[in-house]
Amino acid sequence: MSKSQLSTILRYVTNEGVEERFLGFVDVSHDRSAKCLAEHVFRLLNEYKCIDKLVAQTYDGAAVMSGQHNGLQRLVRSKCKNAIFVHCYAHKLNLILKQSVDYIKECKIFFTTLSGLSSFFSKSTKRIHALDQEVKKRFPSVAPTRWNYNSRLIEMMSEYREEVLNLMNSIVENGEKWDSETLLCAKGFCQTIQDFDFNFFLIIFGNILPQATILFNIIQTKIFDVTYCNKKIFDFLNHLKNMKNDFDRIWLKSEQYHTDRKSKEWLKQYCVAIQFRLDSLFRLKNEHFGVAYAFGFFQYELDNNQ
């Protein structure tokens, strides 16, 4: 039986520096409303006698947590006026990547295909055995809330593309050994893996997501230096711009997948659109770094954010 669990972490400052402690899990399956969660928060704050010391709270973007009027963060601030709400920056990065990709139909199809490859093998031990024999490497699973996990899928597919294609061809050629669902899926994946669009986006996102993963790991570190993180965000944006300017090199690399090629200028617009969406969303959500400066927690230059 699955349960909904709430994890609680306290972060505080001592003479030795910043400390962080995990307090435990609480089963909230019976009631996941903001009111019930707030009661749990206040009970803990009273237990540790720190309700008047709370200066920040951070959650993901779920409405029950971050809602401006009835969310948990608003209920907490009703009693703890200094408890500013900070949307988890790692979660923001996931949202930025997901929203950027979902905006472009072809990109959404590409990532759906990648997820499908992972699911295809995970649903059958026979398929996994064939993957182990032919490719000798398993597809990583994808976590919907951890978009950077797609970077592992792309890395896997880029390195073992030929081996995966050979496996799919082997399934099709030996159809009598496989069930009809496996056979149909393998035939479809054979066509997709050789499709120009698929390989073009494999190259594009093979250059984007590893850099996004580096950024994700940085903002997940316990030592949270806002100035450094802000610099890395702009480094990432500059990387996107450089990719757009270096499109000819990407195109030359893509030309080997010559089946049903599309217009070079048309595909270049994909790069421009991806770069524009990521850049716009990063700049929009990056404005919250200014909150840290406003409360004097970090030495941060607001001019960098304007």
Side-chain angles (χ1 to χ4, degrees):
M1 180 179 178
S2 60
K3 293 183 179 181
S4 295
Q5 293 182 317
L6 177 70
S7 60
T8 308
I9 298 171
L10 281 182
R11 200 175 196 204
Y12 54 94
V13 179
T14 66
N15 292 332
E16 284 73 35
V18 177
E19 303 286 346
E20 194 173 274
R21 293 291 181 267
F22 170 67
L23 300 184
F25 291 107
V26 176
D27 184 3
V28 293
S29 303
H30 66 290
D31 188 353
R32 291 176 290 178
S33 66
K35 181 180 179 181
C36 177
L37 298 179
E39 290 174 357
H40 167 70
V41 171
F42 294 136
R43 184 166 59 251
L44 278 176
L45 291 175
N46 287 324
E47 179 183 347
Y48 288 94
K49 297 181 175 59
C50 58
I51 193 166
D52 58 334
K53 299 178 181 179
L54 188 65
V55 295
Q57 49 180 326
T58 181
Y59 318 111
D60 62 20
V64 69
M65 308 298 282
S66 61
Q68 294 185 2
H69 302 293
N70 298 308
L72 174 59
Q73 65 95 8
R74 174 55 61 184
L75 296 178
V76 171
R77 289 203 71 178
S78 67
K79 289 190 177 182
C80 308
K81 303 299 181 182
N82 294 326
I84 61 170
F85 166 62
V86 180
H87 188 163
C88 172
Y89 289 112
H91 187 256
K92 277 189 178 183
L93 177 57
N94 283 316
L95 289 178
I96 289 170
L97 293 169
K98 185 178 187 305
Q99 290 171 10
S100 298
V101 166
D102 287 350
Y103 180 77
I104 303 171
K105 181 186 68 176
E106 289 78 7
C107 294
K108 191 173 183 179
I109 291 172
F110 168 73
F111 280 104
T112 301
T113 302
L114 275 181
S115 299
L117 278 165
S118 179
S119 299
F120 172 77
F121 289 106
S122 65
K123 290 180 179 179
S124 167
T125 54
K126 184 177 179 180
R127 296 175 192 173
I128 291 177
H129 177 72
L131 183 68
D132 290 341
Q133 294 297 311
E134 180 70 33
V135 183
K136 297 179 175 58
K137 177 78 173 181
R138 294 190 180 185
F139 278 89
S141 58
V142 177
T145 57
R146 299 288 291 273
W147 184 254
N148 65 309
Y149 274 45
N150 282 288
S151 180
R152 300 182 185 179
L153 271 176
I154 288 179
E155 182 181 351
M156 159 76 178
M157 198 61 209
S158 297
E159 186 173 353
Y160 297 96
R161 177 187 175 278
E162 293 302 321
E163 289 84 352
V164 173
L165 180 59
N166 290 337
L167 174 57
M168 295 300 178
N169 281 323
S170 175
I171 292 174
V172 173
E173 292 170 1
N174 299 278
E176 70 280 358
K177 299 180 181 179
W178 298 90
D179 60 88
S180 57
E181 180 186 356
T182 301
L183 185 60
L184 287 172
C185 288
K187 186 175 181 180
F189 283 129
C190 276
Q191 297 173 347
T192 301
I193 292 171
Q194 298 177 84
D195 179 70
F196 181 81
D197 277 8
F198 179 84
N199 289 283
F200 175 76
F201 287 121
L202 191 63
I203 294 171
I204 290 291
F205 287 102
N207 281 278
I208 293 177
L209 289 191
Q211 298 299 317
T213 298
I214 292 173
L215 182 58
F216 183 88
N217 291 334
I218 288 172
I219 60 180
Q220 283 282 78
T221 56
K222 290 184 178 181
I223 303 175
F224 193 82
D225 186 320
V226 173
T227 304
Y228 179 71
C229 289
N230 192 62
K231 177 183 180 301
K232 289 301 178 181
I233 287 175
F234 282 101
D235 285 348
F236 180 67
L237 294 177
N238 288 330
H239 173 72
L240 295 176
K241 291 179 181 178
N242 292 335
M243 279 186 62
K244 183 180 69 173
N245 297 332
D246 197 25
F247 179 79
D248 286 340
R249 181 186 61 81
I250 296 173
W251 172 259
L252 288 173
K253 192 174 181 180
S254 304
E255 280 193 309
Q256 60 181 300
Y257 308 108
H258 52 78
T259 58
D260 190 28
R261 284 189 305 179
K262 295 183 178 178
S263 165
K264 179 179 179 180
E265 288 304 314
W266 187 31
L267 290 170
K268 188 173 184 178
Q269 293 307 309
Y270 286 146
C271 287
V272 174
I274 293 168
Q275 186 266 332
F276 175 77
R277 287 292 296 176
L278 286 169
D279 185 86
S280 299
L281 288 169
F282 261 114
R283 293 185 187 280
L284 175 65
K285 296 182 182 295
N286 194 33
E287 63 187 14
H288 293 282
F289 274 117
V291 173
Y293 180 83
F295 281 81
F297 295 144
F298 302 99
Q299 292 299 315
Y300 175 65
E301 295 293 335
L302 279 177
D303 290 341
N304 291 339
N305 222 8
Q306 296 177 353

